[in-house]
Structures are given as C-alpha cells and as structure tokens.
Amino acid sequence: MEIDKAVQERAAARAAELPGSEHAHQSTGDWEVWKVGGKVFMLQTSMPGEPVVILKADPSDADALRAAHASISPGYHMNKKHWITMRAGADVEPALVDNLVTESYLLVVAGLPKQSRPVDPASFRVPPSAD
C-alpha cells in the first residue's frame, strides 16, 4: 500500500513560501519542524504509518474544522485546544492546506515581538492559489 504524502508535500511547499520560515529535522524521532521567529508553527510526522501535518489553530476555528472535516482531528502530541492534525483525505483540498498552514504561521507571527515579525499578521495576504 502506498502512503499518501500529498498533504505533507503541499504543506511543506506552502511553508517554504512564507517569509522567515525555517525548516529543520528534529534530532529525536521522525519529525520535521517549521518555525518562524524561533517558534513552531508546523510539524510533520507519521502516526502509525499515516503521514500527518500538525498546525496551530485558533480554538474556535479548530473546533469548526474538526466538525467539518473527517481528515482533521485534535493536535497529535500537542495541546488539543490550540493545535490540529491534518491527514490526507477527500475533504482536504490544496487550497485548504495552504490556508491552514498560512493561518498557523500568522498565529505564531502575531505572538512574536513586533520588531521580530517578518510580516504584519494583520495585513499579510496570500495570493490566490494556482490550483
């Protein structure tokens, strides 16, 4: 059985486009980590053989996303209120992946000291996706 890594690949591509985004492989375990200003905004790993993307989310948005998408669940190994886990699934389209990665990034940027922010989270806009 082939493992579907399309969601991880799409999320990594979007994260790489974001100003100040830094990518590293965690030295312990099989985790890929994306940070901005030294703070994590995205993680990727596999939970029993299933590739997942773990993102920060506003708690009210996280509840709505989990209710609307079978492929989105509480954050794996993270605070279940503030993080979500996204898997590949028919209900996860490329534009949703791009949006959730960007929103996670902006939530973290908003918590950084103003002089450390690579963008203004209130005015940063994503160009429409080509997909």
Side-chain angles (χ1 to χ4, degrees):
M1 182 175 145
E2 188 172 317
I3 296 175
D4 186 354
K5 291 191 172 191
V7 169
Q8 283 187 335
E9 291 166 358
R10 180 67 182 223
R14 178 63 194 135
E17 297 171 347
L18 297 168
S21 174
E22 300 171 1
H23 172 235
H25 180 78
Q26 189 170 336
S27 58
T28 57
D30 185 25
W31 291 82
E32 298 295 321
V33 181
W34 282 262
K35 296 179 179 183
V36 60
K39 303 288 184 182
V40 174
F41 72 90
M42 182 172 79
L43 299 153
Q44 292 186 356
T45 193
S46 290
M47 40 187 269
E50 183 180 23
V52 295
V53 176
I54 302 152
L55 299 161
K56 193 165 183 70
D58 178 85
S60 60
D61 291 343
D63 287 341
L65 287 162
R66 288 190 288 265
H69 301 278
S71 298
I72 296 177
S73 59
Y76 178 63
H77 281 298
M78 301 299 279
N79 179 307
K80 308 298 185 218
K81 184 176 180 181
H82 295 275
W83 292 83
I84 58 172
T85 297
M86 181 171 42
R87 300 167 179 72
D91 60 341
V92 177
E93 296 181 6
L96 177 63
V97 175
D98 290 351
N99 185 37
L100 294 178
V101 170
T102 303
E103 288 301 315
S104 179
Y105 166 86
L106 290 174
L107 282 169
V108 172
V109 167
L112 296 173
K114 286 191 179 189
Q115 66 274 17
S116 300
R117 295 177 183 172
V119 298
D120 177 359
S123 63
F124 182 76
R125 294 293 167 251
V126 180
S129 176
D131 290 297

